[in-house]
Amino acid sequence: MTKPSGYLIRMLLFLIAVGIVAAVLSPVLATAFFNNPVLNSLILFILLLGIVWNLNQVLRLRPEVKWLETYQTSRSRLAALPSPKLLAPMASMLAMREGQTRQDGRHITLSATAMRSLLDGLSSRLDESRELSRYMTGLLIFLGLLGTFWGLLKTVGSVSEVIGGMTIGSGDVTAMFDQLKSGLVKPLAGMGTAFSASMYGLAGALVLGFLDLTAGQAQNRFFNELEEWLAGLTRLSSGALAEGDGSVPVYVQALLEQTAENMEGLQQVLVRDEENRIQMNQAVVTLNERLGSLADTMRANQQLMARIAEAQTAIGPALQRLGQAGGGDDVSRGHLRNIENFLQRLLNESEQGRARSTAELRNDLRLLTRTVAALAEPPR
């Protein structure tokens, strides 16, 4: 979302430029102002209200843009932000849709009718806020014209009084010009009122017109970007794409939209089932590998035990012969006894290893059983 700071800076720069021009022309503006202080003060007051109003129209977009950016990036922080004013209906609708889709496990989608309703409501609120600014601009023009006609009426009345009061019967030209000179003061004051009011009114309308134009551009940019974002969440139904004057009834369109949502939910369920099936296949493959390694281990243990049994079979008669001889070598007898003890210990260790392998096999089978049971449960 584009932040309205750029438009606000543009408006402030324009106001600074207007202030500089007014400071340069301050002697002329002061002289024109005192021709009719009441009407010119009213024009300046309305101009000040219009400036504040247009700046506020841009400033009120900042919390709305911040709320939208937070909603798009980190929805968990929305609770810390104030509720939007322009986007209040959309916020409530999205919150309701988010609660439904969170339960169903789907993404947030809007129908074309809902999107158009949201955009129409926002457009009406933005236009309503700009109507007051446009009225102030027209009011400044009206006040300028009012001052013009007011000054012209004063001028016409004063000129008529001057003409009616002129006397030329005395023949004194100097006295006649002095009388004409003193009589033209009121008409000139009326012309000053007319031109000063027109100047202030038109200049104020020019300033408010530029500010209203800039505020309108900021609002249009916000509206267009919001429309683009909502378009990504909108699902077009068959009724929205129908050609001709014939339209699908509302209940049929709602039924089609509900069917489309159910199809999306079914598709997601099938996707989850496929993922569970892949995980189950991987678990079975892993179990087969472990069973193969366990079978190899047990086969090696059996061969080792067979060799140990053969060795014990060969050593037993030798020990008996040595005992019957009675005069055998004690050293050889000790070595044979140590070999017999070692083979016995090796046989015990082999039996323990087989028991551990059997326990590991039971644990793997138990784990596989739990995994298959968990994957076989229907999704909620």
Side-chain angles (χ1 to χ4, degrees), residues 133-144 205 208:
S133 176
R134 295 168 183 170
Y135 175 76
M136 289 182 181
T137 304
L139 181 61
L140 288 178
I141 298 176
F142 168 75
L143 290 177
L208 285 189

Side-chain angles (χ1 to χ4, degrees), residues 20-298:
I20 293 174
V21 173
V24 173
L25 301 177
S26 57
V28 179
L29 295 176
T31 303
F33 176 80
F34 287 107
N35 287 321
N36 193 341
V38 178
L39 183 60
N40 294 331
S41 298
L42 179 60
I43 292 175
L44 292 178
F45 177 71
I46 294 176
L47 174 62
L48 181 61
L49 287 180
I51 292 174
V52 174
W53 179 261
N54 282 283
L55 291 176
N56 183 57
Q57 294 307 305
V58 180
L59 289 174
R60 67 185 301 197
L61 296 177
R62 297 179 64 181
E64 312 295 326
V65 172
K66 186 176 181 181
W67 187 88
L68 273 178
E69 290 179 346
T70 306
Y71 183 85
Q72 295 172 0
T73 57
S74 179
R75 299 180 185 178
S76 59
R77 296 189 300 172
L78 287 177
L81 296 179
S83 301
K85 297 181 180 179
L86 292 175
L87 303 177
M90 189 185 73
S92 60
M93 181 179 293
L94 290 178
M96 181 179 63
R97 294 289 297 174
E98 184 178 359
Q100 295 176 356
T101 54
R102 186 178 300 172
Q103 294 177 357
D104 300 338
R106 301 192 305 266
H107 297 289
I108 296 178
T109 57
L110 297 176
S111 63
T113 305
M115 185 194 75
R116 181 49 51 192
S117 176
L118 290 176
L119 293 178
D120 290 343
L122 178 61
S123 177
S124 63
R125 284 190 292 274
L126 293 177
D127 292 338
E128 182 181 359
S129 64
R130 292 185 60 188
E131 286 178 358
L132 182 59
S133 176
R134 295 168 183 170
Y135 175 76
M136 289 182 181
T137 304
L139 181 61
L140 288 178
I141 298 176
F142 168 75
L143 290 177
L145 293 176
L146 179 63
T148 300
F149 291 120
W150 185 4
L152 289 177
L153 289 176
K154 290 176 62 176
T155 301
V156 171
S158 300
V159 169
S160 64
E161 291 179 1
V162 171
I163 294 175
M166 290 180 62
T167 57
I168 58 175
S170 61
D172 189 356
V173 179
T174 304
M176 183 182 66
F177 274 106
D178 289 339
Q179 184 180 3
L180 179 63
K181 181 179 175 181
S182 61
L184 289 177
V185 174
K186 291 184 178 180
L188 292 176
M191 295 298 293
T193 299
F195 289 118
S196 63
S198 298
M199 181 183 65
Y200 275 101
L202 294 178
L206 176 65
V207 174
L208 285 189
F210 179 82
L211 296 180
D212 180 68
L213 176 64
T214 307
Q217 290 177 351
Q219 292 178 353
N220 290 335
R221 175 63 66 86
F222 172 74
F223 182 84
N224 292 334
E225 291 182 351
L226 177 63
E227 184 178 11
E228 293 175 359
W229 179 65
L230 288 178
L233 302 178
T234 304
R235 183 187 64 256
L236 295 178
S237 61
S238 59
L241 300 177
E243 298 180 356
D245 296 332
S247 60
V248 179
V250 177
Y251 66 91
V252 176
Q253 183 176 355
L255 180 61
L256 292 175
E257 292 177 358
Q258 184 65 32
T259 304
E261 292 180 358
N262 294 335
M263 292 296 293
E264 290 180 359
L266 179 60
Q267 182 180 2
Q268 293 181 359
V269 170
L270 293 176
V271 170
R272 288 197 297 268
D273 290 341
E274 182 66 20
E275 293 177 353
N276 294 336
R277 188 184 65 81
I278 293 174
Q279 294 178 359
M280 186 182 297
N281 291 337
Q282 293 178 353
V284 171
V285 170
T286 304
L287 179 61
N288 289 333
E289 293 177 354
R290 292 188 178 181
L291 288 175
S293 60
L294 182 61
D296 295 338
T297 304
M298 293 180 67

Side-chain angles (χ1 to χ4, degrees), residues 301-320:
N301 290 335
Q302 290 177 357
Q303 294 176 359
L304 179 61
M305 291 177 64
R307 288 196 296 269
I308 292 174
E310 293 175 358
Q312 285 183 346
T313 304
I315 291 175
L319 290 175
Q320 291 178 359

Side-chain angles (χ1 to χ4, degrees), residues 8-24:
L8 185 64
I9 293 174
R10 187 189 306 175
M11 297 170 70
L12 293 177
L13 291 177
F14 176 76
L15 292 177
I16 291 173
V18 171
I20 293 174
V21 173
V24 173

